[in-house]
């Protein structure tokens, strides 16, 4: 056995003896942080619901502030064109929705789909 082999063996022995102690310290540190997080994580459910209600009421107040008037950006003719094309689109979606409802009634798995999903399918058929 050469001197290099001896140094490799002693180096691996030193490293292996230090690793478990380091792992134990890391696990203890993680356990302490998890315990501290668990202690601070509990909040009163009523306070959370109150905060959500407050943010919802703030959003309602902001609704009217950011409205856009199309007449500021478009000519009356262009607004009329958009209204006409939206009417055609909505009529097509309704036609597709009626067809989906008629076809899906025969298949119970498809008939049980939500109305919102059926409406989404009808709109996608227009694209």
């Amino acid at each position: 056995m050469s001197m290099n082999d001896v140094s490799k063996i002693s180096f691996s022995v030193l490293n292996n003896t230090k690793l478990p102690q380091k792992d134990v310290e890391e696990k203890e540190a993680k356990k302490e942080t998890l315990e501290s997080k668990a202690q601070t994580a509990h909040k009163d459910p009523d306070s959370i619901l109150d905060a959500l209600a407050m943010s919802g009421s703030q959003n309602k107040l902001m609704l009217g502030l950011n409205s856009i008037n199309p007449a500021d950006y478009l000519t009356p003719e262009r607004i009329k064109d958009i209204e006409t094309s939206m009417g055609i689109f909505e009529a097509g979606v309704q036609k597709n929705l009626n067809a989906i409802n008629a076809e899906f009634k025969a298949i119970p798995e498809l008939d049980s789909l939500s109305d919102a999903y059926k409406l989404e399918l009808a709109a996608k058929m227009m694209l």
Side-chain angles (χ1 to χ4, degrees):
M1 185 185 293
S2 69
M3 199 59 176
N4 281 340
D5 293 333
V6 171
S7 65
K8 287 178 186 176
I9 292 172
S10 61
F11 182 71
S12 68
V13 169
L14 287 174
N15 279 341
N16 289 335
T17 56
K18 290 182 181 178
L19 284 178
Q21 182 181 7
K22 187 177 182 181
D23 287 342
V24 169
E25 290 173 1
E26 287 177 1
K27 286 180 183 178
E28 287 176 4
K30 285 181 183 179
K31 185 178 178 182
E32 289 174 8
T33 57
L34 288 176
E35 287 174 357
S36 66
K37 285 182 181 178
Q39 291 172 356
T40 59
H42 298 292
K43 299 205 186 274
D44 180 33
D46 291 332
S47 66
I48 294 172
L49 291 175
D50 290 342
L52 289 172
M54 174 67 82
S55 68
S57 63
Q58 289 172 346
N59 288 342
K60 285 181 184 176
L61 291 174
M62 296 297 286
L63 259 172
L65 297 178
N66 295 328
S67 62
I68 297 173
N69 183 7
D72 293 342
Y73 305 99
L74 301 171
T75 64
E77 295 82 22
R78 185 65 185 134
I79 293 172
K80 183 73 173 161
D81 290 343
I82 292 171
E83 289 173 348
T84 302
S85 66
M86 285 305 298
I88 293 169
F89 177 79
E90 290 170 355
V93 169
Q94 187 60 48
K95 178 182 170 189
N96 291 340
L97 185 60
N98 292 340
I100 287 171
N101 285 331
E103 292 291 326
F104 283 10
K105 282 187 193 263
I107 306 168
E109 295 84 18
L110 297 177
D111 192 38
S112 64
L113 292 174
S114 70
D115 291 337
Y117 186 71
K118 291 177 184 177
L119 186 60
E120 181 183 348
L121 287 175
K124 284 183 179 180
M125 289 169 65
M126 290 297 296
L127 301 178

